[in-house]
Structures are given as structure tokens and as C-alpha cells.
Amino acid sequence: MYEGLLKQYREYLPITDATPMISLCEGNTPLIPLNNLSKELGITLYGKYEGLNPTGSFKDRGMVMAVAKAVEEGAKAIVCASTGNTSAAAAAYATRAGVKAYVVIPDGKIAMGKLAQAIAYGADIISIPGNFDEALKAVRDIAKTEAVALVNSVNPYRLEGQKTAAFEVCEQLGQAPDVLAIPVGNAGNISAYWKGFKEWHEVKQTALPRMHGFEAEGAAAIVRGEVIEAPETVATAIRIGNPASWKLAEAARDESQGYIDAVTDEEILDAYRKVAAMDGVFVEPGSAASLAGVIQHVKAGKIKPGETVVTVFTGNGLKDPDTAIHEANVEIHKMSDLEEMRLHLREGVAQL
Ligand code: F0G
């Protein structure tokens, strides 16, 4: 039976006999062949669907490790800043480990599904008028003076847990892909994947991919080479103007001969609709940034015809139902009469 990441990858993680082996059976997510998009783009494209983790995002991988280490070190409470997914994962794993979670979120800029999760898992929720970068600065300061463990990705155990996704990609494909495409917000995940690919290659000779990271244009600090004071994007998950792992992300890009580029909100929403409508995979807007980037890079020749590409779908589409409904532009047919429905279907089916 699969029992979660700490057991699965114990020998590759900083686990000691004193580490509590907490688990929600996170990890082990599917690598879904995106057949229709592959055909359209002329590449072999897979989606690493991290939205199927227990709290619906990749954050569970890093959080299980960070919370286990916090408990091992005697913490009774954890704290994080979040655009939503980190807070959901922190709240769930805190509950699991019997500690208290404090989560600090930007007021009004977090998707409803994520807020619902933090409430349900029983976190203490603090909303601030500022953005994620300001929230992160606040919790970093607070963790210095208060008896709480900071579980943002500046905590190195987070990246340790998150690197396991790269292990899985190599195991699922038999080797690393040519290109790993990934959204970039606070830049922890791209750094964790690169660490994972390097470690797995050292042990199993699975080769190394080129890392192609994508920031939202209104929050593209690394691309522009400057802190963005007021980041804006429809992809609230990656609405971050001063990424904490900036340097590590640049190292991943340079060592792998990859890229970090920007995608517009329009490109993000186009990719967001496309992967659901063409290949049946519903991801959140922040996650669609990686697919938007793949489409952009195929056009620009930065991804070559026939290459094997894995695009990381970091979070589940159900996290953000408001965006799904408002960006859909789809008519909902209201009918109360069975005959009316029968006719509607008959007319539709006749056109197939
Ligand atoms: N995709 C999703 C769905 C995210 O929630 C995040 C980050 C990212 C991508 C970017 O990953 O920060 O490692 O570069 N969300 C954080 C949060 C900031 O608070 O949930 P990153």
C-alpha cells in the first residue's frame, strides 16, 4: 500500500528516527498524456497533475516534510504567508500532526476554494491589506520572536519534500523529459524540481531536463530583473513580486540551459480553457501558466518538434471556481420541461 512521501522516499529525505512519519498519502500523482494538445503542438506532452494531491496542490509534498521536521524539533505551532495553496496544505498537515497553524493571506486575493480549505482544516486565518510579499515579510519577522515554526519555502525542508515530484516524473517516464515546464511564483518549486532531477540522475542516470519556468507578466520579477512592488495577475497563486528563491531559480535555469519567461494573463486563460476543453484536465489559472509557456515556446522554437515535455499542473481547477465561471463565456441553458430538453438534445446530437 502506498503510504505517502516520507515512507516512499525516506532514504532521499532528511528523516531521522525521531521524525514523525505523518502522511495524507500525498504524492504519487499521475503523469497524464495530453494527447490532443500533443498533436496540435507537435510534441509529446504530459501533465504532472499535482492537483490530485490531498489538498489539491503540490504544496502537500513540501508541507508534509516541513511539518514533520517542525514537530520533531518541538514546535507546537506553524506559521506561513500564502496566496492560498500553502495555507491549505499547512492547515491540513498541522491538524494531522496535532499542532496549530497560523496562516497569513492577502485580503481579497485568494481563491475561494483555498480559503474554504483553511477554514475547514481549522487554521487561525489572518488577512492583511498587503500582498503576498508583505505577508511573507511579516511572518519571517514574527517567526524570529515567537514560538512558531515558519513553513514557507524559505524553510529548506519544503524544497526537500517538493523535489520528490521530479523523482516521480523520472520513474514514470523511465528518464527525465527533454523539457520541464513549470509556473514560477515564489520560485521554490522550480528550485526543488531541479534539485530532484540532479539527485535522481546521480543515483539512477536518468539524465537532466531543460527547466522552462514561467512567471505571470504582471508579476515577472525574475524576467525583468527587478522587484515588482504591486504585482497583478488573474493567476492569484503566482501574484508575487519578490520571489524568495530568486537566486536558486536562476541557477536552475542557467545550469539546465533553460529559460524563465513571462506569459500574459490572456495566454494563461487561453491555456487554462484549452487543457480542460481539449484534454479533460481542469487546473487552476496559476498552473496554466506552465502550459501557456509551452505553447509560447513551441511557437518561438525554444521547444523543438518531437521533444518530450512535462508541464507541471501545480493545482486543481476546483480551487478557483469563480475564475472558471467568469472566464468561461458559456451559456447555461435553463429549462424546466422534459420535452424542451428532449428537443434540445435531439437538435444537438443531429449536428454531431
Ligand atoms: N502554482 C500554484 C497553484 C501555486 O499555488 C504556487 C505558489 C505556484 C504555482 C508557484 O510555486 O511559489 O514555488 O514558485 N503558491 C504559493 C502559496 C505562493 O502561497 O500557495 P512557487
Side-chain angles (χ1 to χ4, degrees):
M1 194 179 124
Y2 181 80
E3 293 176 88
L5 288 178
L6 301 191
K7 283 209 174 148
Q8 186 72 14
Y9 293 112
R10 183 185 177 118
E11 60 195 293
Y12 303 98
L13 294 171
I15 291 172
T16 70
D17 289 344
T19 311
M21 299 298 275
I22 53 176
S23 165
L24 281 166
C25 298
E26 61 290 322
N28 197 24
T29 57
L31 188 67
I32 305 177
L34 303 172
N35 296 332
N36 293 324
L37 278 164
S38 289
K39 234 177 263 165
E40 183 173 293
L41 295 170
I43 57 175
T44 304
L45 182 62
Y46 297 88
K48 179 66 174 159
Y49 195 23
E50 290 289 280
L52 289 189
N53 274 297
T55 78
S57 88
F58 73 97
K59 302 288 183 181
D60 295 341
R61 293 181 186 274
M63 203 53 75
V64 69
M65 187 77 251
V67 171
K69 294 307 279 188
V71 170
E72 179 179 341
E73 287 159 15
K76 292 198 173 65
I78 61 171
V79 68
C80 67
S82 183
T83 56
N85 281 325
T86 299
S87 62
Y93 284 91
T95 291
R96 205 65 190 179
V99 298
K100 176 100 193 157
Y102 292 89
V103 305
V104 182
I105 55 173
D107 185 25
K109 293 288 182 180
I110 133 166
M112 275 306 138
K114 303 175 188 182
L115 183 58
Q117 288 180 290
I119 293 169
Y121 297 132
D124 187 305
I125 303 167
I126 301 166
S127 166
I128 64 156
N131 58 32
F132 171 83
D133 303 289
E134 290 156 312
L136 181 57
K137 187 175 176 309
V139 296
R140 288 178 93 152
D141 282 352
I142 282 172
K144 281 185 202 143
T145 58
E146 306 312 307
V148 290
L150 181 63
V151 294
N152 279 106
S153 57
V154 291
N155 175 333
Y157 296 125
R158 280 278 310 279
L159 301 197
E160 287 297 314
Q162 283 173 212
K163 76 184 180 188
T164 59
F167 298 170
E168 289 179 14
V169 167
C170 292
E171 294 203 292
Q172 287 165 316
L173 280 179
Q175 60 180 49
D178 296 312
V179 172
L180 191 286
I182 188 165
V184 174
N186 211 23
N189 211 26
I190 187 172
S191 310
Y193 265 83
W194 182 236
K195 187 171 197 294
F197 281 122
K198 286 193 292 188
E199 288 182 14
W200 209 244
H201 175 56
E202 213 157 90
V203 183
K204 313 246 177 188
Q205 286 77 51
T206 39
L208 295 170
R210 306 195 309 272
M211 304 294 290
H212 292 213
F214 299 97
E215 295 184 301
E217 191 177 69
I222 299 174
V223 175
R224 289 215 233 149
E226 61 186 22
V227 171
I228 313 280
E229 295 296 339
E232 264 323 324
T233 169
V234 65
T236 53
I238 53 172
R239 184 175 166 268
I240 296 173
N242 188 12
S245 297
W246 190 320
K247 290 282 164 284
L248 284 176
E250 286 185 335
R253 174 195 65 193
D254 297 341
E255 288 173 24
S256 75
Q257 295 171 350
Y259 300 91
I260 296 178
D261 281 330
V263 286
T264 64
D265 277 6
E266 205 182 327
E267 288 175 298
I268 290 173
L269 289 173
D270 184 50
Y272 169 75
R273 285 186 285 254
K274 232 173 168 164
V275 63
M278 283 180 69
D279 275 311
V281 183
F282 186 30
V283 306
E284 66 168 283
S287 306
S290 61
L291 177 61
V294 169
I295 295 169
Q296 187 194 88
H297 277 189
V298 166
K299 281 187 197 146
K302 292 176 177 172
I303 294 172
K304 304 266 176 306
E307 285 195 310
T308 298
V309 180
V310 169
T311 179
V312 183
F313 290 140
T314 46
N316 199 304
L318 296 171
K319 292 267 192 179
D320 190 357
D322 295 336
T323 302
I325 293 162
H326 291 128
E327 297 301 331
N329 217 0
V330 163
E331 184 192 352
I332 296 177
H333 309 284
K334 290 196 175 158
M335 355 184 141
S336 50
D337 178 85
L338 184 63
E339 267 320 298
E340 202 184 350
M341 281 186 232
R342 215 190 291 282
L343 258 175
H344 179 70
L345 264 74
R346 198 171 294 161
E347 279 170 14
V349 171
Q351 286 166 24
L352 297 178

